[in-house]
Amino acid sequence: MTRYDMVVIGAGAAGMMCAVEAGRRGRRVLVIEHGAKPGEKIRISGGGRCNFTNLHANEGITQGAGGYLSQNPRFCVSALKRYRPEDFIARIEAHGIAWHEKTLGQLFCDGPASQIVDMFLGEMREAGVDLRLSTTARDIERDADGFRLVAGHAGSGDTAISCAALVVATGGKSIPKMGASAFAYEVARKFGVPVTETRPALVPLTFEPHLLEETKALSGVSVAARVSCGKRHFDEAVLFTHRGLSGPAILQISSYWREGEAITLDMAPGVDVFERLRAARSQSGKQAAQTALGEILPKRLAQAIVTRLGADVPLGSLPDKRLRDIAAAVNAWTVKPVGTEGFRTAEVTLGGVDTTALDGKTMEVKSVPGLHFIGEAVDVTGWLGGYNFQWAWASGVACGAGDATN
Ligand code: FDA
């Protein structure tokens, strides 16, 4: 049987980072990946340019400005404080990877995201880390020396491996066709580690058929909006789709929305639509309502709103009350989504391995020495915009460096 100091299951963002850090500290490390290639989510992320971190990730956790969701919001702070966005920037710059800020602190590669995967492959090679692709971890057992696992390879069959430290870095359930699996939660349950409820997050919201009928002509229309659910709001673009709503503001709010709740969209934030329409009416009563509204909103959206309200008429024939109805439909459109597009399209999984069971410095399970969970598998979920990769890097470093110094 082959013996390693550490076996990392999953060659994603968190797993590769952890393996490099442990390998650099002299540990004999093996990474097992059931896909044919490592880091597939890195490769496709950020539209192929990888939004690898967010400059505000640390402000969020230290100043309570948000950024991460968890049943235990303080858990992620220690790891995120020890490995910061500037640490990852320095790492990629040392490899000559150029980057730029797009908006809201979101940093992207100038070139293809595969540069980041290649960087980790090079770092793993230098650190002497072994990588086995197309290999699935099965049958994990605990023994006196740590763990024994059976790794199945499609071509060469099963091999037994033993290790002192086992790191589960298999991610969440989002996008099963890319290899996502519930493996981390199964391992957690097997070892008596609690798992919080998991649900799709950073995901488009869907409408029931009647509402869809009303909005289907808007499919493809995008508008800058403030989207609110409860006390939380996001100011970004909203996109009407043939299933409901998408776009960054909707993906963000989806992490906070629950079935049965309504969301409110202000599709002209900062604009008092009632006053604007009233002023337009006093200038020219002959102007059509949709023309006046089309000065504020995309024309297709303006048309759809006035048609729905039966206000497809000259402004002069609309009393203040009707103008207020139009304004409310723009500044405070309240809708009840019926669901989400699910794990098929969700960028991340909300919830996961309960952080109360983990040591925040090393990601080790307190009740099972040697067993660790990192990355998306853990109940730490970031906002859209590089926060999730920053958690993957930081939890990977905490585990790889922490375990090696124990
Ligand atoms: P990750 O999912 O990356 O890796 C887990 C690995 O484990 C996979 O390679 C998988 O094949 C493997 N695996 C699973 N089960 C296994 C088993 N039983 N045996 C062996 N291997 C197994 N975030 C961000 O910050 N910026 C961005 O731009 C984007 N963009 C983005 C786009 C899209 C389309 C998606 C779906 C997601 C994003 N994200 C993102 C989210 C980000 O990709 C995600 O948070 C991280 O990849 C999580 O890293 P992990 O290493 O935890 O899991």
Side-chain angles (χ1 to χ4, degrees):
M1 185 181 334
T2 329
R3 171 92 185 156
Y4 284 90
D5 296 324
M6 176 185 277
V7 171
V8 179
I9 308 174
M16 290 195 288
M17 178 62 105
C18 173
V20 171
E21 294 301 315
R24 282 180 177 171
R25 287 165 176 79
R27 297 285 160 133
R28 198 159 172 247
V29 183
L30 169 69
V31 181
I32 292 174
E33 165 58 48
H34 73 173
K37 290 181 186 168
E40 277 298 84
K41 278 198 185 161
I42 299 176
R43 201 181 49 76
I44 61 143
S45 66
R49 291 280 185 263
C50 187
N51 178 192
F52 55 82
T53 192
N54 192 294
L55 291 175
H56 307 305
N58 274 56
E59 275 165 42
I61 54 159
T62 52
Q63 297 164 22
Y68 291 93
L69 294 86
S70 171
Q71 281 194 8
N72 177 11
R74 299 295 303 161
F75 175 80
C76 61
V77 174
S78 163
L80 288 166
K81 269 188 172 173
R82 281 178 294 140
Y83 195 82
R84 295 162 178 269
E86 48 271 37
D87 295 318
F88 195 76
I89 295 170
R91 192 178 197 114
I92 63 168
E93 283 183 343
H95 287 264
I97 298 174
W99 56 274
H100 62 277
E101 180 180 351
K102 207 167 180 180
T103 174
L104 303 169
Q106 301 169 2
L107 305 191
F108 288 76
C109 297
D110 289 357
S114 55
Q115 292 172 290
I116 304 254
V117 181
D118 292 342
M119 174 187 85
F120 278 116
L121 288 175
E123 287 185 346
M124 287 200 290
R125 256 192 316 274
E126 273 169 29
V129 172
D130 289 342
L131 170 64
R132 289 193 204 167
L133 298 172
S134 305
T135 304
T136 306
R138 286 201 287 267
D139 297 333
I140 299 168
E141 298 294 341
R142 217 172 153 203
D143 66 15
D145 300 321
F147 299 87
R148 289 162 57 102
L149 64 140
V150 174
H153 183 273
S156 54
D158 288 354
T159 26
I161 301 162
S162 93
C163 57
L166 184 71
V167 181
V168 183
T170 51
K173 295 192 222 171
S174 33
I175 322 224
K177 73 169 193 245
M178 290 189 67
S181 74
F183 184 77
Y185 318 127
E186 288 157 20
V187 176
R189 287 194 187 99
K190 174 167 181 158
F191 288 96
V193 180
V195 176
T196 68
E197 186 204 352
T198 54
R199 52 180 288 126
L202 301 184
V203 64
L205 298 175
T206 55
F207 286 167
E208 45 86 13
H210 179 71
L211 189 53
L212 213 49
E213 193 53 40
E214 255 180 36
T215 56
K216 76 174 182 207
L218 293 172
S219 182
V221 170
S222 173
V223 62
R226 164 167 291 197
V227 180
S228 318
C229 184
K231 289 187 184 141
R232 184 62 67 177
H233 69 258
F234 291 95
D235 294 301
E236 276 188 81
V238 166
L239 175 70
F240 287 82
T241 73
H242 62 290
R243 291 200 172 87
L245 293 173
S246 186
I250 294 296
L251 299 188
Q252 296 279 39
I253 212 73
S254 73
S255 300
Y256 295 88
W257 175 83
R258 293 293 176 275
E259 284 71 11
E261 288 180 350
I263 58 170
T264 302
L265 284 81
D266 179 350
M267 296 183 282
V271 178
D272 185 334
V273 173
F274 172 66
E275 285 304 334
R276 286 278 293 270
L277 291 178
R278 214 155 67 131
R281 186 183 60 189
S282 62
Q283 261 180 15
S284 162
K286 286 189 186 145
Q287 190 183 20
Q290 68 269 29
T291 310
L293 201 56
E295 306 274 306
I296 303 167
L297 296 178
K299 300 223 169 348
R300 259 206 289 162
L301 181 56
Q303 178 69 59
I305 290 171
V306 294
T307 305
R308 177 163 61 84
L309 296 175
D312 213 346
V313 291
L315 281 173
S317 59
L318 293 172
D320 279 4
K321 186 192 169 311
R322 302 290 305 282
L323 296 191
R324 280 192 204 283
D325 291 344
I326 298 173
V330 176
N331 287 133
W333 182 44
T334 299
V335 273
K336 243 187 205 181
V338 72
T340 75
E341 286 191 11
F343 286 114
R344 192 180 56 81
T345 61
E347 274 199 17
V348 284
T349 302
L350 189 71
V353 173
D354 192 331
T355 57
T356 54
L358 305 180
D359 177 331
K361 289 214 159 50
T362 59
M363 305 293 137
E364 188 173 32
V365 177
K366 291 177 205 160
S367 59
V368 188
L371 179 63
H372 305 71
F373 290 90
I374 57 173
E376 196 182 320
V378 177
D379 172 29
V380 173
T381 308
W383 282 357
L384 189 76
Y387 291 83
N388 284 296
F389 277 135
Q390 188 58 35
W391 168 246
W393 316 135
S395 60
V397 170
C399 181
D403 181 73
T405 46
N406 270 342

